Amino acid sequence: MNRYKVAVFDLDGTLFNNQSQVSPKNLHALKCLKETGMLLGIASGRDYAHIASNYQKLASLMDFVVEENGTHFIDLHTNKETLTSEPVDSNQFVHFYQKLSTIPTAAFFNEAGKPYGIGDQAVLDFFMAEAHATEVNKISLSQLTQHVFHKIVVAHYLKDSTQLNQLVSRYLPHNLSATKSVNFLFEIQDAKTTKSSGIQAYIKTQGINMREVVAFGDGDNDLSMIKDAGLGVAMKNAMKDVKNVADMMTEEEANDDGVAKFIEKYFFHA
C-alpha cells in the first residue's frame, strides 16, 4: 500500500458514525497514516466552514478539503480556496423546481458562507435538524435568481420517495447532475463537477495523479472518486452501485470503525 500518496475520505457513512461523529479509532488511524507522509483529504458534500467549526480534531489532520461535492477545494497549508465548477443557472433551477411543486420539498444553498433556503417550512425544519444547522435565511423562489451558487440541495421527508425520484429524473436538465448522499435529499450541481474532478484539481497542484490516490466512500456522490482512484474502497454499508465500482470493501460498517480497521489491516499489517 506504500505506492499511494494521498488518502481521501467521505464523511457521512464513511468516517462518521451514526451520530455524525468521528470515533477515536478513526482519528488514530488517520494520524498514523499522516505520520507515514501521506496527504490526507476530505471530499464531502459539506462546506469546510462547517467541518472546521464542528470537527476540529479531524480538520487538524487534513491537508486539503474538496467541499460541496467538488465545487471547490482548499489547500489547508496555504488556506487558498480554488473554485472548480460553474455556477448553477438559477433561472434554470427555478423552472426545474416548479416541476416538483406537487410534493413538499425545500432547497438549500450557501452563498458567501451564508445558508439560504426556499420551500416548505416543515421540510426546512426537518433538514436543519438533520444537518445540525442553527439558522437559514429563508427567501422566496423568485428571489433565488438574485443569488449565485454552485450546489443546491433539494430535501424532502417522504418515507417513499419514488414519485420524487421520477420527477427529478424526468425534469432535471442534462447539464446538471443530482446525486444522493443520504436518502432524504438530492445534491444538484453542474454535471461536470464531481468529487473526483475536485480531487484531481487539487492533486495536480501537488504533482500527483489519481493512480496514487486511495478513496473511501459509501454514497451516490462518491461514485466518481471510488471509480477513478487508484484504489477505491467502498464501505460495507455503501450503496450497491458504489460497491460495484470499488476495488475493495471494508469488512465493517462506518458505525463500527470500518475505515480504521481497513487502514490497520492493509496499511500496517499487510
Side-chain angles (χ1 to χ4, degrees):
M1 293 288 183
N2 58 4
R3 65 183 179 275
Y4 299 108
K5 297 180 179 179
V6 176
V8 60
F9 305 88
D10 170 54
L11 293 181
D12 298 282
T14 302
L15 277 181
F16 286 176
N17 58 25
N18 291 348
Q19 288 73 48
S20 296
Q21 296 297 320
V22 188
S23 72
K25 286 186 177 180
N26 275 347
L27 285 173
H28 178 72
L30 296 181
K31 183 174 182 291
C32 291
L33 267 189
K34 191 173 182 69
E35 289 172 351
T36 69
M38 288 185 73
L39 295 174
L40 302 186
I42 291 169
S44 176
R46 299 171 185 249
D47 65 276
Y48 179 63
H50 174 83
I51 298 167
S53 62
N54 292 281
Y55 305 98
Q56 293 94 340
K57 289 182 180 179
L58 175 64
S60 69
L61 293 171
M62 295 298 128
D63 297 286
F64 69 99
V65 173
V66 173
E67 57 181 349
E68 297 201 328
N69 290 338
T71 63
H72 306 72
F73 75 79
I74 303 175
D75 184 326
L76 297 178
H77 295 286
T78 63
N79 288 322
K80 180 182 178 181
E81 182 171 354
T82 302
L83 178 65
T84 58
S85 73
E86 296 295 326
V88 175
D89 184 320
S90 56
N91 286 293
Q92 188 181 49
F93 179 81
V94 167
H95 180 71
F96 161 72
Y97 190 72
Q98 289 171 332
K99 300 292 186 180
L100 311 181
S101 60
T102 57
I103 296 174
T105 62
F108 305 82
F109 65 93
N110 282 300
E111 183 183 34
K114 290 184 177 181
Y116 292 88
I118 61 171
D120 186 274
Q121 186 61 50
V123 181
L124 283 168
D125 293 340
F126 168 76
F127 177 82
M128 289 179 66
E130 290 291 327
H132 306 288
T134 57
E135 63 176 343
V136 65
N137 301 288
K138 189 173 183 182
I139 59 174
S140 67
L141 186 60
S142 61
Q143 290 174 311
L144 187 68
T145 57
Q146 302 169 20
H147 294 268
V148 177
F149 48 92
H150 293 80
K151 188 191 82 168
I152 188 164
V153 172
V154 174
H156 64 89
Y157 53 24
L158 304 172
K159 291 183 178 179
D160 181 359
S161 60
T162 301
Q163 184 183 359
L164 181 59
N165 293 344
Q166 291 172 344
L167 289 173
V168 171
S169 178
R170 181 183 304 170
Y171 293 114
L172 186 73
H174 294 303
N175 61 313
L176 298 178
S177 65
T179 57
K180 298 177 78 172
S181 55
V182 292
N183 288 330
F184 62 85
L185 59 80
F186 291 91
E187 296 174 301
I188 295 172
Q189 60 197 68
D190 179 74
K192 299 186 295 295
T193 302
T194 63
K195 287 188 178 183
S196 179
S197 67
I199 294 167
Q200 290 180 56
Y202 168 74
I203 64 174
K204 185 177 180 180
T205 69
Q206 306 299 310
I208 297 171
N209 62 62
M210 284 297 281
R211 293 189 302 274
E212 299 170 297
V213 174
V214 54
F216 293 78
D218 73 302
D220 192 22
N221 61 345
D222 299 318
L223 270 168
S224 62
M225 70 174 186
I226 297 295
K227 182 179 179 181
D228 294 343
L231 179 65
V233 183
M235 302 302 295
K236 185 178 180 180
N237 52 277
M239 294 179 177
K240 182 178 179 180
D241 287 348
V242 178
K243 292 178 179 178
N244 286 342
V245 301
D247 301 298
M248 298 182 73
M249 186 173 72
T250 64
E251 295 176 5
E252 303 291 343
E253 296 188 355
N255 205 45
D256 294 314
D257 301 314
V259 167
K261 292 173 182 177
F262 183 95
I263 289 172
E264 180 180 357
K265 179 174 181 177
Y266 291 103
F267 282 84
F268 295 105
H269 291 158

